[in-house]
Amino acid sequence: MGEKGAYKYLYKMLYNRVDLRNCWTAIEPFLIGHLLIRPSISQNIVELILKYMDLVSERLSKEIFKNLEISMNNHLHNESQWLLWSLIKINYDFTVFELEHLYKKCDDDITKIILLSIIYKSGKDSEEKLSSLLKEEIEHLTTFNFESDKWLLLHEWYMNKWQCYKKLEPHYNRNKFFQALKKNKVSFLLI
């Protein structure tokens, strides 16, 4: 089934009042498969999952998490970001171990920003393993500036006032672009 066919099928399930309660266990593998091969329709898939949240099995979230790990191992950044977003939307409760494991594995700043948001919103940033990992990251970030490829991570860390964010202040005080972003309260993260 092509992307248009999958989208049409999902659209029918979502908006044509098709009741999937009787066949939900058969639908879950279809949804997982399409989260992986068609990240562009992730919003629709998650909308469908949320519509039937009372039927969603623990297996579904574990399978999405497993696929997130596979995507990260294979440096599939777009897929990783959509899978993370999907887990956030279905209120997946990440463990400290999972967050630490994913963060260490991550080689993409946008995915790191999403993970940082999860870490801080869950209040798990004070957990010893995560706290030391975050301290290492901020120390690493202080060696970069706007001209580096780490500017987005540096900016979001500062704007979100994550752990030790004040160490990044010299970058903001020296750079007119950062000052403009800060003045206009620009953030690239909205979850």
Side-chain angles (χ1 to χ4, degrees):
M1 179 182 308
E3 186 168 344
K4 286 183 183 179
Y7 183 78
K8 284 180 184 179
Y9 189 68
L10 278 169
Y11 186 84
K12 283 181 183 180
M13 287 190 280
L14 273 168
Y15 303 110
N16 289 348
R17 302 183 197 277
V18 175
D19 189 1
L20 301 175
R21 293 189 180 283
N22 295 330
C23 60
W24 185 255
T25 55
I27 295 293
E28 280 188 359
F30 168 84
L31 298 176
I32 291 168
H34 279 76
L35 272 173
L36 295 174
I37 60 173
R38 302 275 187 250
S40 61
I41 60 173
S42 294
Q43 260 185 290
N44 302 95
I45 292 170
V46 169
E47 194 175 332
L48 186 64
I49 291 169
L50 291 174
K51 184 176 177 179
Y52 291 95
M53 199 60 192
D54 59 319
L55 299 175
V56 172
S57 69
E58 189 177 325
R59 187 184 79 228
L60 178 74
S61 57
K62 289 190 182 300
E63 192 65 31
I64 294 171
F65 185 85
K66 185 168 71 173
N67 285 293
L68 169 61
E69 287 184 301
I70 292 167
S71 294
M72 289 181 80
N73 283 338
N74 291 303
H75 311 284
L76 303 171
H77 302 136
N78 188 36
E79 289 81 354
S80 297
Q81 293 156 12
W82 277 113
L83 290 165
L84 260 175
W85 178 83
S86 300
L87 288 168
I88 291 167
K89 289 299 182 184
I90 63 172
N91 294 319
Y92 182 79
D93 187 19
F94 291 89
T95 66
V96 170
F97 174 79
E98 289 170 338
L99 290 168
E100 177 191 21
H101 176 70
L102 291 172
Y103 198 84
K104 284 180 175 179
K105 197 180 271 199
C106 188
D107 64 353
D108 165 59
D109 286 348
I110 294 173
T111 307
K112 269 189 176 183
I113 291 167
I114 296 169
L115 284 167
L116 284 163
S117 178
I118 294 167
I119 290 168
Y120 283 100
K121 283 184 180 181
S122 68
K124 294 178 179 167
D125 57 298
S126 59
E127 297 286 336
E128 188 177 334
K129 287 184 177 189
L130 287 174
S131 182
S132 76
L133 184 66
L134 297 174
K135 284 177 185 170
E136 286 175 34
E137 184 75 69
I138 193 70
E139 291 305 320
H140 185 66
L141 282 177
T142 59
T143 65
F144 292 102
N145 59 36
F146 174 71
E147 290 79 28
S148 79
D149 62 344
K150 295 285 180 195
W151 76 269
L152 182 60
L153 181 58
L154 196 143
H155 168 71
E156 288 299 330
W157 197 295
Y158 184 82
M159 291 302 292
N160 286 289
K161 295 179 170 55
W162 291 329
Q163 184 175 351
C164 301
Y165 75 97
K166 290 235 181 221
K167 288 184 175 189
L168 301 174
E169 213 151 38
H171 296 295
Y172 277 80
N173 293 335
R174 283 193 303 253
N175 190 291
K176 289 181 183 182
F177 182 72
F178 276 148
Q179 287 297 311
L181 291 172
K182 182 179 167 183
K183 179 182 176 186
N184 292 299
K185 297 178 181 160
V186 174
S187 179
F188 298 94
L189 177 68
L190 182 61
I191 297 179

